[in-house]
Amino acid sequence: MTRSTMPAKVVAKERVAPDIWSFVLEADERAFVPADAGSHIDVKLRSGLVRQYSLVREPRNGTYEIAVLREERGRGGSKELCDSVAVGDTLEISAPRNNFPLDQGRAHYLLVGGGIGLTPLLAMARSLHEQDRKFDFHICARTPEVLPFRVEIEHSAWADRVHVHYTGGNAPGRLDLPALLRATAPETQVYICGPKRMLAIADETTRDWRAGRMRTERFTPGDVVAAPEDQGSFDVVTARSGKRFQVAPDVSLLDALEQNGIVVDSACHEGTCGTCVTPVLSGELVHRDSCLYDDERESGKLMAICVSRAKPGTELVLDV
Ligand SMILES: Cc1cc2nc3c(=O)[nH]c(=O)nc-3n(C[C@H](O)[C@H](O)[C@H](O)COP(=O)(O)OP(=O)(O)OC[C@H]3O[C@@H](n4cnc5c(N)ncnc54)[C@H](O)[C@@H]3O)c2cc1C
Ligand code: FES
């Protein structure tokens, strides 16, 4: 992780669902950086793994709160956090970053969260309530037992805005997401975070919506198909540092920059966290990320350089 970090002490750890633990991390007063709803932090583990976690509430009094699903089939980051990190331990964390910010001043907001994707939306619901904004919050969980923060949600001041859909077993409450989205008024701003299937259904249903009317956040990379003909070498010019070099087909743009002495902050290296997003001055881009919004990709002005490239044989000019 090249992004700068700060030490944060684990001051609380609580099991909030059978496979989900919440952690309250206290940063040093001088290092603490405030954040808006939708933000996430990078957590660097003792093993060296770096993972991103959304803040479940806007941070106050120098503390950040996250909730982590223990992923049995993952590469070990969440298991390490849930199994080995205890109250009193110190972790290295980044300052918060927000790829999923709340648009201000909308007439109505629709929040839809599935599984652990609930986390950034919890912070949004709290924030919208504090701002006295109109919103509806749909939550999908398999059963009441696996819904994290269930008691807190049920007793919140905004509980009347919450619609919980239990999807497990014979539960009758499965959310008809296409129907919900189609019934949404054009002035409603939509935010969705959840499993890949939920996000794929949302993308499919809103294909003809105006750009920006629905915002999504992905915790894992989307199914981006890399066309082999887009994998060739291309030239890079770095406008501010005045360099020119070629990126080989088997080297990422992020690594090529680093090999040429230009270090850009990065964390996930799989196009999901947004840390490496870099301004582009010109070029034919081949986007492979899961963190930019469609309008940002179409603008041609930003790219996630850990996974995205330029068309083979072309010249890319970056503002670095
Ligand atoms: C912006 C952002 C916010 C996030 N917020 C949260 C949050 O609030 N709570 C939370 O629990 N998680 C969150 N995540 C996900 C988190 O960062 C980790 O990915 C997650 O904890 C799993 O880590 P892991 O090392 O256990 O598994 P990973 O190895 O990261 O695997 C994650 C999933 O990918 C699949 N996978 C397994 N092996 C591989 C492989 N070799 N390559 C690619 N994929 C594989 C698995 O199916 C697994 O379920 C967030 C991610 C992002 C980008
Ligand atoms: S490092 Fe996470 S998107 Fe590139």
PDB file of all heavy atoms in Angstrom, residues 159-188:
ATOM      1  N   ALA A 159     -36.387   4.222  11.689  1.00  0.00           N
ATOM      2  CA  ALA A 159     -36.876   2.853  11.448  1.00  0.00           C
ATOM      3  C   ALA A 159     -38.091   2.842  10.523  1.00  0.00           C
ATOM      4  O   ALA A 159     -38.292   1.886   9.767  1.00  0.00           O
ATOM      5  CB  ALA A 159     -37.221   2.196  12.782  1.00  0.00           C
ATOM      6  N   ASP A 160     -38.892   3.915  10.543  1.00  0.00           N
ATOM      7  CA  ASP A 160     -40.086   3.939   9.675  1.00  0.00           C
ATOM      8  C   ASP A 160     -39.712   4.106   8.193  1.00  0.00           C
ATOM      9  O   ASP A 160     -40.578   3.946   7.327  1.00  0.00           O
ATOM     10  CB  ASP A 160     -41.039   5.068  10.121  1.00  0.00           C
ATOM     11  CG  ASP A 160     -40.368   6.434  10.053  1.00  0.00           C
ATOM     12  OD1 ASP A 160     -39.137   6.507  10.215  1.00  0.00           O
ATOM     13  OD2 ASP A 160     -41.080   7.430   9.816  1.00  0.00           O
ATOM     14  N   ARG A 161     -38.460   4.411   7.889  1.00  0.00           N
ATOM     15  CA  ARG A 161     -38.012   4.540   6.488  1.00  0.00           C
ATOM     16  C   ARG A 161     -37.459   3.216   5.954  1.00  0.00           C
ATOM     17  O   ARG A 161     -37.072   3.113   4.797  1.00  0.00           O
ATOM     18  CB  ARG A 161     -36.903   5.605   6.342  1.00  0.00           C
ATOM     19  CG  ARG A 161     -37.147   6.970   6.919  1.00  0.00           C
ATOM     20  CD  ARG A 161     -38.468   7.615   6.540  1.00  0.00           C
ATOM     21  NE  ARG A 161     -38.915   7.319   5.210  1.00  0.00           N
ATOM     22  CZ  ARG A 161     -40.194   7.142   4.864  1.00  0.00           C
ATOM     23  NH1 ARG A 161     -41.165   7.194   5.771  1.00  0.00           N
ATOM     24  NH2 ARG A 161     -40.521   6.890   3.634  1.00  0.00           N
ATOM     25  N   VAL A 162     -37.362   2.198   6.858  1.00  0.00           N
ATOM     26  CA  VAL A 162     -36.684   0.943   6.518  1.00  0.00           C
ATOM     27  C   VAL A 162     -37.683  -0.130   6.096  1.00  0.00           C
ATOM     28  O   VAL A 162     -38.729  -0.301   6.723  1.00  0.00           O
ATOM     29  CB  VAL A 162     -35.866   0.442   7.740  1.00  0.00           C
ATOM     30  CG1 VAL A 162     -35.244  -0.918   7.451  1.00  0.00           C
ATOM     31  CG2 VAL A 162     -34.793   1.461   8.106  1.00  0.00           C
ATOM     32  N   HIS A 163     -37.351  -0.846   5.016  1.00  0.00           N
ATOM     33  CA  HIS A 163     -38.170  -1.954   4.517  1.00  0.00           C
ATOM     34  C   HIS A 163     -37.225  -3.150   4.423  1.00  0.00           C
ATOM     35  O   HIS A 163     -36.344  -3.171   3.556  1.00  0.00           O
ATOM     36  CB  HIS A 163     -38.735  -1.646   3.133  1.00  0.00           C
ATOM     37  CG  HIS A 163     -39.258  -0.232   3.019  1.00  0.00           C
ATOM     38  ND1 HIS A 163     -40.578   0.085   3.236  1.00  0.00           N
ATOM     39  CD2 HIS A 163     -38.618   0.953   2.749  1.00  0.00           C
ATOM     40  CE1 HIS A 163     -40.732   1.400   3.077  1.00  0.00           C
ATOM     41  NE2 HIS A 163     -39.559   1.940   2.796  1.00  0.00           N
ATOM     42  N   VAL A 164     -37.387  -4.136   5.321  1.00  0.00           N
ATOM     43  CA  VAL A 164     -36.471  -5.284   5.291  1.00  0.00           C
ATOM     44  C   VAL A 164     -37.103  -6.427   4.510  1.00  0.00           C
ATOM     45  O   VAL A 164     -38.271  -6.748   4.705  1.00  0.00           O
ATOM     46  CB  VAL A 164     -36.109  -5.736   6.727  1.00  0.00           C
ATOM     47  CG1 VAL A 164     -35.088  -6.865   6.661  1.00  0.00           C
ATOM     48  CG2 VAL A 164     -35.536  -4.585   7.532  1.00  0.00           C
ATOM     49  N   HIS A 165     -36.306  -7.027   3.618  1.00  0.00           N
ATOM     50  CA  HIS A 165     -36.779  -8.152   2.786  1.00  0.00           C
ATOM     51  C   HIS A 165     -35.941  -9.372   3.151  1.00  0.00           C
ATOM     52  O   HIS A 165     -34.738  -9.382   2.884  1.00  0.00           O
ATOM     53  CB  HIS A 165     -36.597  -7.834   1.308  1.00  0.00           C
ATOM     54  CG  HIS A 165     -37.214  -6.533   0.900  1.00  0.00           C
ATOM     55  ND1 HIS A 165     -38.486  -6.438   0.397  1.00  0.00           N
ATOM     56  CD2 HIS A 165     -36.731  -5.255   0.949  1.00  0.00           C
ATOM     57  CE1 HIS A 165     -38.761  -5.162   0.136  1.00  0.00           C
ATOM     58  NE2 HIS A 165     -37.712  -4.429   0.472  1.00  0.00           N
ATOM     59  N   TYR A 166     -36.580 -10.356   3.775  1.00  0.00           N
ATOM     60  CA  TYR A 166     -35.848 -11.581   4.098  1.00  0.00           C
ATOM     61  C   TYR A 166     -36.007 -12.556   2.947  1.00  0.00           C
ATOM     62  O   TYR A 166     -37.124 -12.833   2.500  1.00  0.00           O
ATOM     63  CB  TYR A 166     -36.360 -12.168   5.413  1.00  0.00           C
ATOM     64  CG  TYR A 166     -36.013 -11.278   6.590  1.00  0.00           C
ATOM     65  CD1 TYR A 166     -36.999 -10.654   7.345  1.00  0.00           C
ATOM     66  CD2 TYR A 166     -34.678 -11.054   6.917  1.00  0.00           C
ATOM     67  CE1 TYR A 166     -36.667  -9.814   8.398  1.00  0.00           C
ATOM     68  CE2 TYR A 166     -34.345 -10.210   7.976  1.00  0.00           C
ATOM     69  CZ  TYR A 166     -35.337  -9.601   8.711  1.00  0.00           C
ATOM     70  OH  TYR A 166     -34.999  -8.772   9.743  1.00  0.00           O
ATOM     71  N   THR A 167     -34.875 -13.061   2.469  1.00  0.00           N
ATOM     72  CA  THR A 167     -34.893 -13.821   1.216  1.00  0.00           C
ATOM     73  C   THR A 167     -34.665 -15.319   1.414  1.00  0.00           C
ATOM     74  O   THR A 167     -34.755 -16.083   0.468  1.00  0.00           O
ATOM     75  CB  THR A 167     -33.777 -13.299   0.282  1.00  0.00           C
ATOM     76  OG1 THR A 167     -32.533 -13.382   0.989  1.00  0.00           O
ATOM     77  CG2 THR A 167     -34.034 -11.873  -0.128  1.00  0.00           C
ATOM     78  N   GLY A 168     -34.330 -15.733   2.659  1.00  0.00           N
ATOM     79  CA  GLY A 168     -33.970 -17.138   2.868  1.00  0.00           C
ATOM     80  C   GLY A 168     -35.191 -18.038   3.023  1.00  0.00           C
ATOM     81  O   GLY A 168     -36.295 -17.579   3.312  1.00  0.00           O
ATOM     82  N   GLY A 169     -34.970 -19.331   2.826  1.00  0.00           N
ATOM     83  CA  GLY A 169     -35.994 -20.352   3.046  1.00  0.00           C
ATOM     84  C   GLY A 169     -37.259 -20.041   2.275  1.00  0.00           C
ATOM     85  O   GLY A 169     -37.232 -19.718   1.087  1.00  0.00           O
ATOM     86  N   ASN A 170     -38.394 -20.099   2.982  1.00  0.00           N
ATOM     87  CA  ASN A 170     -39.675 -19.843   2.315  1.00  0.00           C
ATOM     88  C   ASN A 170     -40.115 -18.389   2.495  1.00  0.00           C
ATOM     89  O   ASN A 170     -41.287 -18.075   2.361  1.00  0.00           O
ATOM     90  CB  ASN A 170     -40.767 -20.755   2.885  1.00  0.00           C
ATOM     91  CG  ASN A 170     -40.437 -22.196   2.606  1.00  0.00           C
ATOM     92  OD1 ASN A 170     -39.901 -22.507   1.552  1.00  0.00           O
ATOM     93  ND2 ASN A 170     -40.730 -23.067   3.570  1.00  0.00           N
ATOM     94  N   ALA A 171     -39.146 -17.535   2.841  1.00  0.00           N
ATOM     95  CA  ALA A 171     -39.503 -16.139   3.145  1.00  0.00           C
ATOM     96  C   ALA A 171     -40.283 -15.524   1.989  1.00  0.00           C
ATOM     97  O   ALA A 171     -39.863 -15.605   0.838  1.00  0.00           O
ATOM     98  CB  ALA A 171     -38.240 -15.332   3.399  1.00  0.00           C
ATOM     99  N   PRO A 172     -41.430 -14.916   2.283  1.00  0.00           N
ATOM    100  CA  PRO A 172     -42.243 -14.342   1.213  1.00  0.00           C
ATOM    101  C   PRO A 172     -41.768 -12.950   0.809  1.00  0.00           C
ATOM    102  O   PRO A 172     -42.262 -12.381  -0.149  1.00  0.00           O
ATOM    103  CB  PRO A 172     -43.627 -14.253   1.858  1.00  0.00           C
ATOM    104  CG  PRO A 172     -43.349 -14.117   3.328  1.00  0.00           C
ATOM    105  CD  PRO A 172     -42.026 -14.737   3.613  1.00  0.00           C
ATOM    106  N   GLY A 173     -40.780 -12.415   1.526  1.00  0.00           N
ATOM    107  CA  GLY A 173     -40.485 -10.982   1.388  1.00  0.00           C
ATOM    108  C   GLY A 173     -39.443 -10.619   0.364  1.00  0.00           C
ATOM    109  O   GLY A 173     -38.913  -9.522   0.392  1.00  0.00           O
ATOM    110  N   ARG A 174     -39.073 -11.527  -0.550  1.00  0.00           N
ATOM    111  CA  ARG A 174     -38.009 -11.245  -1.516  1.00  0.00           C
ATOM    112  C   ARG A 174     -38.268  -9.923  -2.248  1.00  0.00           C
ATOM    113  O   ARG A 174     -39.389  -9.668  -2.692  1.00  0.00           O
ATOM    114  CB  ARG A 174     -37.937 -12.400  -2.508  1.00  0.00           C
ATOM    115  CG  ARG A 174     -36.755 -12.352  -3.432  1.00  0.00           C
ATOM    116  CD  ARG A 174     -36.728 -13.623  -4.253  1.00  0.00           C
ATOM    117  NE  ARG A 174     -36.217 -14.755  -3.474  1.00  0.00           N
ATOM    118  CZ  ARG A 174     -34.933 -15.033  -3.288  1.00  0.00           C
ATOM    119  NH1 ARG A 174     -34.016 -14.258  -3.831  1.00  0.00           N
ATOM    120  NH2 ARG A 174     -34.555 -16.057  -2.579  1.00  0.00           N
ATOM    121  N   LEU A 175     -37.236  -9.103  -2.372  1.00  0.00           N
ATOM    122  CA  LEU A 175     -37.393  -7.800  -3.024  1.00  0.00           C
ATOM    123  C   LEU A 175     -37.456  -7.969  -4.542  1.00  0.00           C
ATOM    124  O   LEU A 175     -36.588  -8.613  -5.130  1.00  0.00           O
ATOM    125  CB  LEU A 175     -36.211  -6.908  -2.645  1.00  0.00           C
ATOM    126  CG  LEU A 175     -36.088  -5.575  -3.396  1.00  0.00           C
ATOM    127  CD1 LEU A 175     -37.249  -4.658  -3.051  1.00  0.00           C
ATOM    128  CD2 LEU A 175     -34.764  -4.897  -3.084  1.00  0.00           C
ATOM    129  N   ASP A 176     -38.465  -7.365  -5.151  1.00  0.00           N
ATOM    130  CA  ASP A 176     -38.531  -7.327  -6.612  1.00  0.00           C
ATOM    131  C   ASP A 176     -37.810  -6.047  -7.031  1.00  0.00           C
ATOM    132  O   ASP A 176     -38.424  -4.977  -7.182  1.00  0.00           O
ATOM    133  CB  ASP A 176     -40.002  -7.332  -7.061  1.00  0.00           C
ATOM    134  CG  ASP A 176     -40.129  -7.397  -8.577  1.00  0.00           C
ATOM    135  OD1 ASP A 176     -39.112  -7.159  -9.263  1.00  0.00           O
ATOM    136  OD2 ASP A 176     -41.247  -7.669  -9.063  1.00  0.00           O
ATOM    137  N   LEU A 177     -36.487  -6.151  -7.195  1.00  0.00           N
ATOM    138  CA  LEU A 177     -35.677  -4.959  -7.449  1.00  0.00           C
ATOM    139  C   LEU A 177     -36.047  -4.264  -8.757  1.00  0.00           C
ATOM    140  O   LEU A 177     -36.194  -3.031  -8.771  1.00  0.00           O
ATOM    141  CB  LEU A 177     -34.186  -5.324  -7.400  1.00  0.00           C
ATOM    142  CG  LEU A 177     -33.191  -4.179  -7.554  1.00  0.00           C
ATOM    143  CD1 LEU A 177     -33.407  -3.089  -6.516  1.00  0.00           C
ATOM    144  CD2 LEU A 177     -31.752  -4.696  -7.478  1.00  0.00           C
ATOM    145  N   PRO A 178     -36.231  -4.999  -9.862  1.00  0.00           N
ATOM    146  CA  PRO A 178     -36.627  -4.302 -11.089  1.00  0.00           C
ATOM    147  C   PRO A 178     -37.910  -3.502 -10.900  1.00  0.00           C
ATOM    148  O   PRO A 178     -38.008  -2.356 -11.351  1.00  0.00           O
ATOM    149  CB  PRO A 178     -36.806  -5.434 -12.108  1.00  0.00           C
ATOM    150  CG  PRO A 178     -35.925  -6.529 -11.612  1.00  0.00           C
ATOM    151  CD  PRO A 178     -35.971  -6.434 -10.113  1.00  0.00           C
ATOM    152  N   ALA A 179     -38.902  -4.096 -10.201  1.00  0.00           N
ATOM    153  CA  ALA A 179     -40.172  -3.388 -10.001  1.00  0.00           C
ATOM    154  C   ALA A 179     -39.958  -2.139  -9.145  1.00  0.00           C
ATOM    155  O   ALA A 179     -40.504  -1.061  -9.437  1.00  0.00           O
ATOM    156  CB  ALA A 179     -41.191  -4.317  -9.352  1.00  0.00           C
ATOM    157  N   LEU A 180     -39.146  -2.275  -8.088  1.00  0.00           N
ATOM    158  CA  LEU A 180     -38.876  -1.128  -7.211  1.00  0.00           C
ATOM    159  C   LEU A 180     -38.213   0.001  -8.012  1.00  0.00           C
ATOM    160  O   LEU A 180     -38.616   1.172  -7.909  1.00  0.00           O
ATOM    161  CB  LEU A 180     -37.956  -1.556  -6.062  1.00  0.00           C
ATOM    162  CG  LEU A 180     -37.504  -0.446  -5.118  1.00  0.00           C
ATOM    163  CD1 LEU A 180     -38.678   0.063  -4.276  1.00  0.00           C
ATOM    164  CD2 LEU A 180     -36.374  -0.917  -4.201  1.00  0.00           C
ATOM    165  N   LEU A 181     -37.220  -0.357  -8.820  1.00  0.00           N
ATOM    166  CA  LEU A 181     -36.501   0.678  -9.582  1.00  0.00           C
ATOM    167  C   LEU A 181     -37.404   1.319 -10.633  1.00  0.00           C
ATOM    168  O   LEU A 181     -37.387   2.538 -10.815  1.00  0.00           O
ATOM    169  CB  LEU A 181     -35.251   0.079 -10.229  1.00  0.00           C
ATOM    170  CG  LEU A 181     -34.154  -0.328  -9.237  1.00  0.00           C
ATOM    171  CD1 LEU A 181     -33.051  -1.115  -9.937  1.00  0.00           C
ATOM    172  CD2 LEU A 181     -33.555   0.899  -8.544  1.00  0.00           C
ATOM    173  N   ARG A 182     -38.218   0.477 -11.298  1.00  0.00           N
ATOM    174  CA  ARG A 182     -39.093   1.035 -12.351  1.00  0.00           C
ATOM    175  C   ARG A 182     -40.131   1.989 -11.759  1.00  0.00           C
ATOM    176  O   ARG A 182     -40.567   2.928 -12.422  1.00  0.00           O
ATOM    177  CB  ARG A 182     -39.785  -0.102 -13.112  1.00  0.00           C
ATOM    178  CG  ARG A 182     -38.846  -0.758 -14.103  1.00  0.00           C
ATOM    179  CD  ARG A 182     -39.589  -1.675 -15.071  1.00  0.00           C
ATOM    180  NE  ARG A 182     -38.677  -2.710 -15.532  1.00  0.00           N
ATOM    181  CZ  ARG A 182     -38.709  -3.976 -15.160  1.00  0.00           C
ATOM    182  NH1 ARG A 182     -39.660  -4.406 -14.332  1.00  0.00           N
ATOM    183  NH2 ARG A 182     -37.824  -4.830 -15.607  1.00  0.00           N
ATOM    184  N   ALA A 183     -40.494   1.755 -10.487  1.00  0.00           N
ATOM    185  CA  ALA A 183     -41.514   2.600  -9.855  1.00  0.00           C
ATOM    186  C   ALA A 183     -40.916   3.883  -9.262  1.00  0.00           C
ATOM    187  O   ALA A 183     -41.641   4.720  -8.710  1.00  0.00           O
ATOM    188  CB  ALA A 183     -42.212   1.805  -8.747  1.00  0.00           C
ATOM    189  N   THR A 184     -39.610   4.026  -9.375  1.00  0.00           N
ATOM    190  CA  THR A 184     -38.938   5.176  -8.751  1.00  0.00           C
ATOM    191  C   THR A 184     -39.136   6.449  -9.571  1.00  0.00           C
ATOM    192  O   THR A 184     -38.966   6.438 -10.800  1.00  0.00           O
ATOM    193  CB  THR A 184     -37.422   4.873  -8.665  1.00  0.00           C
ATOM    194  OG1 THR A 184     -37.280   3.680  -7.915  1.00  0.00           O
ATOM    195  CG2 THR A 184     -36.665   5.976  -7.977  1.00  0.00           C
ATOM    196  N   ALA A 185     -39.474   7.523  -8.891  1.00  0.00           N
ATOM    197  CA  ALA A 185     -39.666   8.801  -9.597  1.00  0.00           C
ATOM    198  C   ALA A 185     -38.326   9.296 -10.142  1.00  0.00           C
ATOM    199  O   ALA A 185     -37.281   9.067  -9.528  1.00  0.00           O
ATOM    200  CB  ALA A 185     -40.237   9.835  -8.625  1.00  0.00           C
ATOM    201  N   PRO A 186     -38.329   9.988 -11.299  1.00  0.00           N
ATOM    202  CA  PRO A 186     -37.067  10.438 -11.903  1.00  0.00           C
ATOM    203  C   PRO A 186     -36.226  11.308 -10.972  1.00  0.00           C
ATOM    204  O   PRO A 186     -35.004  11.331 -11.072  1.00  0.00           O
ATOM    205  CB  PRO A 186     -37.523  11.244 -13.119  1.00  0.00           C
ATOM    206  CG  PRO A 186     -38.915  10.819 -13.387  1.00  0.00           C
ATOM    207  CD  PRO A 186     -39.504  10.341 -12.097  1.00  0.00           C
ATOM    208  N   GLU A 187     -36.879  12.032 -10.047  1.00  0.00           N
ATOM    209  CA  GLU A 187     -36.090  12.921  -9.184  1.00  0.00           C
ATOM    210  C   GLU A 187     -35.500  12.201  -7.957  1.00  0.00           C
ATOM    211  O   GLU A 187     -34.777  12.802  -7.170  1.00  0.00           O
ATOM    212  CB  GLU A 187     -36.905  14.144  -8.759  1.00  0.00           C
ATOM    213  CG  GLU A 187     -38.226  13.897  -8.100  1.00  0.00           C
ATOM    214  CD  GLU A 187     -39.378  13.602  -9.075  1.00  0.00           C
ATOM    215  OE1 GLU A 187     -39.124  13.373 -10.275  1.00  0.00           O
ATOM    216  OE2 GLU A 187     -40.528  13.572  -8.608  1.00  0.00           O
ATOM    217  N   THR A 188     -35.804  10.911  -7.814  1.00  0.00           N
ATOM    218  CA  THR A 188     -35.225  10.143  -6.701  1.00  0.00           C
ATOM    219  C   THR A 188     -33.795   9.736  -7.050  1.00  0.00           C
ATOM    220  O   THR A 188     -33.537   9.236  -8.137  1.00  0.00           O
ATOM    221  CB  THR A 188     -36.075   8.882  -6.421  1.00  0.00           C
ATOM    222  OG1 THR A 188     -37.335   9.299  -5.927  1.00  0.00           O
ATOM    223  CG2 THR A 188     -35.411   7.977  -5.388  1.00  0.00           C
TER     224      THR A 188
END
